[in-house]
Amino acid sequence: MEHLLPTYQRREMEAVQASGSYVWDAEGKKYLDFMMGIAVCGTGHRHPHVEASIAEQLGKVWHMSNLFRISGQETVAEQLISGTHFKGAFFCNSGAEANEGAYKLVRKWTGRNRVVSFSQSFHGRTFAMMGATGQEKIKQGFGPMVEGFDHVSYNSFEALEAITEQTAAVWIELIQGEGGVILADDTWLDALMERAQRVGAKIVVDEVQTGIGRTGTRYAYESTPLIPDVVTLAKGLGSGFPVGAILAAQGAEEVFTPGTHGSTFGGNPLAMAAAKATLELLFDQSALEHIEETGRYLMDRLSKLKTPSIVDVRGKGLMVGIEMTEEVAPVIDALQHEGLLVAPAGPNVIRLLPSLFVTKEEIAQAIRMMEHVLEQKAGVRG
């Protein structure tokens, strides 16, 4: 890796084969993947339906400029907004790009330039989205941020006073993923929506991690009182193929007009083939019911882990955080050695993001691995 800029704390393991909930490294060791590229491979690795859709498109057209019609965009946009209040979609390549586009949209839409976002939030690593993010560690060394972001406490009623007639938008994750898997309180969201609507501020929900079925509904906002003006999507939208999207309510079509925004690779035919197949799988009611059921099973099994090092288990659907009394990096390393891949969510939280088609047997297997690692660590400390 000597020719790569060292922007990642990389683990040494390299996956050379993957299928469903499992990956294999170059030595042939098998791992149960409860990370899924950080909520990217929602259908599991190489789901046959998605793979077939991409393979079929590979034999037709890979790329065309957005100056031409790409009918796959129309199909996927209809899948995304059907049964919602949204009126239009814009396609890009990533969550950060979706958030940047949404930032342009709400500023032009409202004629205002202030945005309220929340402490411990994460919205991407582009320059404006670093400013939106409520974590100082990702901003260090880059100088002054883009102005206009007001960071306030999450789930705080007093903090809602920051939403004023100068606010273009309130920017929110309904579950703060990188911030520790923190869930928004419904009563607070009710008050947030009332305040935003009263002063004419837009509500932008960052569903880059929670979207596309991860929490047991198509979008996380659907199980809350919130009615957003804009939703941003990526990660799970393409089952591992890079796809991002902005969904917007009535009125956005008068703001994002020809020449106001674009993305060279956004909505390309291959990406749309991946997204179409993904949505066919995950927006099916039986799939959403499976996510809810297995999510409850996972939470129940985790709640029965007997170890004093676990402070809290929280989450929704198949997005779960385990808060611990200690730093989790050594635990994550030990779990990988055991054959289970998981992600951190801050220094003290283990994040579980399995395939949305994970089985109860695979969950039970993951729990046994966690039990073994935690028992070993408790024995060492004892």
Side-chain angles (χ1 to χ4, degrees):
M1 292 189 284
E2 62 179 310
H3 302 301
L4 299 175
L5 290 172
T7 54
Y8 300 100
Q9 292 280 3
R10 293 186 192 270
R11 308 185 198 181
E12 286 302 313
M13 190 276 281
E14 179 181 6
V16 298
Q17 186 66 39
S19 179
S21 288
Y22 297 93
V23 298
W24 289 261
D25 67 17
E27 285 71 46
K29 182 174 179 177
K30 182 180 181 180
Y31 300 84
L32 179 58
D33 190 353
F34 268 43
M35 189 173 175
M36 286 293 155
I38 312 184
V40 169
C41 302
T43 59
H45 291 286
R46 294 180 48 238
H47 192 287
H49 183 60
V50 182
E51 189 171 284
S53 182
I54 296 171
E56 181 183 358
Q57 188 61 48
L58 276 168
K60 296 178 179 178
V61 180
W62 294 12
H63 177 80
M64 281 293 289
S65 166
N66 276 301
L67 295 175
F68 296 89
R69 181 184 179 187
I70 300 173
S71 61
Q73 293 185 13
E74 298 164 35
T75 300
V76 176
E78 184 177 3
Q79 289 174 291
L80 289 169
I81 69 176
S82 178
T84 75
H85 64 289
F86 295 116
K87 299 300 181 184
F90 173 87
F91 293 105
C92 51
N93 306 287
S94 70
E97 192 180 334
N99 279 328
E100 282 283 337
Y103 179 58
K104 285 178 62 176
L105 174 63
V106 296
R107 285 191 54 161
K108 194 166 190 289
W109 202 347
T110 63
R112 305 172 184 179
N113 61 7
R114 301 210 69 83
V115 168
V116 171
S117 63
F118 298 93
S119 56
Q120 294 306 114
S121 62
F122 182 81
H123 300 293
R125 294 182 182 275
T126 55
F127 220 83
M129 289 303 107
M130 281 200 299
T133 292
Q135 298 187 47
E136 288 304 312
K137 66 182 180 181
I138 77 156
K139 307 177 187 183
Q140 292 173 4
F142 291 102
M145 292 289 105
V146 174
E147 295 182 356
F149 292 101
D150 302 311
H151 299 101
V152 299
S153 297
Y154 195 71
N155 278 329
S156 164
F157 286 89
E158 291 78 12
L160 300 181
E161 295 177 9
I163 305 170
T164 70
E165 286 79 3
Q166 282 73 51
T167 304
V170 183
W171 216 282
I172 185 170
E173 300 162 278
L174 297 173
I175 303 177
Q176 291 189 323
E178 302 296 326
V181 191
I182 309 297
L183 281 69
D185 176 78
D186 277 356
T187 306
W188 178 68
L189 290 174
D190 245 337
L192 183 154
M193 186 167 68
E194 189 279 329
R195 175 88 179 193
Q197 289 178 339
R198 177 152 45 91
V199 301
K202 303 297 181 185
I203 297 173
V204 179
V205 177
D206 180 336
E207 295 238 26
V208 169
Q209 193 162 149
T210 57
I212 319 302
R214 175 59 58 180
T215 64
T217 51
R218 295 175 302 173
Y219 310 111
Y221 85 82
E222 291 178 307
S223 64
T224 76
L226 214 58
I227 303 172
D229 299 284
V230 179
V231 159
T232 57
L233 303 167
K235 287 190 180 289
L237 181 52
S239 291
F241 200 97
V243 191
I246 302 168
L247 307 183
Q250 187 76 43
E253 74 281 358
E254 299 174 9
V255 181
F256 264 11
T257 53
T260 56
H261 196 53
S263 173
T264 296
F265 296 103
N268 69 75
L270 287 173
M272 294 300 94
K276 175 179 179 290
T278 299
L279 294 172
E280 286 169 347
L281 292 167
L282 293 179
F283 279 11
D284 180 80
Q285 188 57 38
S286 63
L288 296 172
E289 289 170 359
H290 172 82
I291 295 162
E292 283 196 301
E293 181 182 352
T294 49
R296 286 193 299 269
Y297 179 72
L298 175 58
M299 290 285 285
D300 179 64
R301 290 297 303 269
L302 288 170
S303 69
K304 294 174 181 174
L305 284 175
K306 304 298 183 185
T307 172
S309 61
I310 293 180
V311 176
D312 190 24
V313 176
R314 55 183 178 259
K316 197 166 191 178
L318 289 168
M319 182 175 180
V320 176
I322 306 167
E323 184 177 351
M324 303 189 72
T325 57
E326 60 195 272
E327 290 199 1
V328 297
V331 180
I332 289 172
D333 288 342
L335 287 170
Q336 179 173 318
H337 182 76
E338 189 76 10
L340 178 65
L341 304 180
V342 297
N348 297 96
V349 177
I350 294 172
R351 191 172 13 160
L352 305 181
L353 299 162
S355 161
L356 300 181
F357 293 128
V358 69
T359 66
K360 289 183 179 179
E361 291 75 19
E362 289 165 344
I363 290 171
Q365 182 186 0
I367 295 293
R368 288 193 296 271
M369 293 181 188
M370 284 187 270
E371 284 175 330
H372 186 227
V373 165
L374 293 172
E375 285 171 5
Q376 282 187 320
K377 290 202 163 287
V380 169
R381 284 193 296 269

